[in-house]
Amino acid sequence: AQSVSQHNHHVILSEAASLELGCNYSYGGTVNLFWYVQYPGQHLQLLLKYFSGDPLVKGIKGFEAEFIKSKFSFNLRKPSVQWSDTAEYFCAVKETGSARQLTFGSGTQLTVLP
Amino acid sequence: ETGVTQTPRHLVMGMTNKKSLKCEQHLGHNAMYWYKQSAKKPLELMFVYSLEERVENNSVPSRFSPECPNSSHLFLHLHTLQPEDSALYLCASSQGVLGGTEAFFGQGTRLTVV
């Protein structure tokens, strides 16, 4: 069964610091990869996704992620965080062409200090 | 506004009560899902409906009973719940269950079982 690991449960940064959140998955086949964000009191929303092609994916609000197939990783990055980026971030994986649904990581709480 | 609406937003119920959670999607999707989000744990997929037919049931206790009367509506009927069932219940929808379609989430129902 596939699984998703997010190594950092809570990350605290100052504004303007650079961010990298780790995500590793266990499935060896072809996958689609997602990062979702949940701002306080709001719904889960999609930040970015990877289906195929360029492994460097750009999403909303200046976020990007790089798919490294050999490392089974899909780390999320942002060069300079803002206070408004405080939220919980979830990595998710789905087997391509399968009816099996998204498998989520346990999430990383990001707190950005003003 | 995500196009996926859940009601109620908050629910407190006793262990002997019967209640229902409602989800409605306005996106024209044909697949709908229930997820359970507990603190410090990955989102857990509970049920998947595709074209109003249940296609996945992840060993969920029978005290949770889903219903999908049409492709726009999804219910989760609750009865004789336990305190450990307290969690955020998220509904999501997507266009199809195969392929790299992303899921759109509602804001969730915060359930407390007393």
Side-chain angles (χ1 to χ4, degrees), chain B:
Chain B
E1 183 58 50
T2 69
V4 181
T5 304
Q6 289 187 244
T7 54
R9 293 289 307 279
H10 300 272
L11 177 64
V12 179
M13 61 186 286
M15 289 190 283
T16 57
N17 291 160
K18 288 185 181 182
K19 297 285 185 183
S20 296
L21 310 185
K22 180 182 176 183
C23 176
E24 184 174 0
Q25 58 97 0
H26 315 279
L27 301 168
H29 291 163
N30 58 17
M32 296 186 77
Y33 315 84
W34 280 116
Y35 283 87
K36 177 183 179 182
Q37 186 178 19
S38 304
K40 310 298 183 192
K41 293 174 66 176
L43 270 73
E44 301 170 52
L45 179 65
M46 300 174 72
F47 301 104
V48 180
Y49 276 83
S50 175
L51 298 171
E52 301 150 43
E53 191 175 327
R54 192 190 310 180
V55 296
E56 192 162 335
N57 175 348
N58 279 349
S59 303
V60 180
S62 59
R63 56 186 184 268
F64 295 91
S65 174
E67 179 190 1
C68 187
N70 55 63
S71 59
S72 299
H73 293 87
L74 184 65
F75 294 90
L76 187 63
H77 303 300
L78 315 171
H79 64 98
T80 59
L81 295 191
Q82 304 298 311
E84 61 263 29
D85 296 321
S86 298
L88 183 68
Y89 288 85
L90 295 171
C91 174
S93 71
S94 68
Q95 186 53 37
V97 295
L98 301 178
T101 53
E102 69 205 61
F104 291 77
F105 286 82
Q107 289 187 288
T109 294
R110 173 69 61 187
L111 173 67
T112 303
V113 181
V114 297

Side-chain angles (χ1 to χ4, degrees), chain A residues 2-6 23-24 34-37 44-46 89-94 101-107, chain B residues 35-37 41-45 90 92 103 105:
Chain A
Q2 60 190 26
S3 65
V4 179
S5 297
Q6 291 183 243
C23 173
N24 287 90
F34 307 81
W35 275 98
Y36 282 85
V37 62
L44 272 168
Q45 54 187 290
L46 186 70
Y89 293 80
F90 295 90
C91 181
V93 174
K94 185 183 186 303
Q101 297 311 306
L102 287 169
T103 300
F104 282 85
S106 56
Chain B
Y35 283 87
K36 177 183 179 182
Q37 186 178 19
K41 293 174 66 176
L43 270 73
E44 301 170 52
L45 179 65
L90 295 171
F105 286 82

Side-chain angles (χ1 to χ4, degrees), chain A residues 82-102:
Chain A
Q82 301 173 305
W83 176 78
S84 58
D85 294 323
T86 295
E88 191 155 16
Y89 293 80
F90 295 90
C91 181
V93 174
K94 185 183 186 303
E95 300 172 32
T96 305
S98 166
R100 285 192 60 80
Q101 297 311 306
L102 287 169

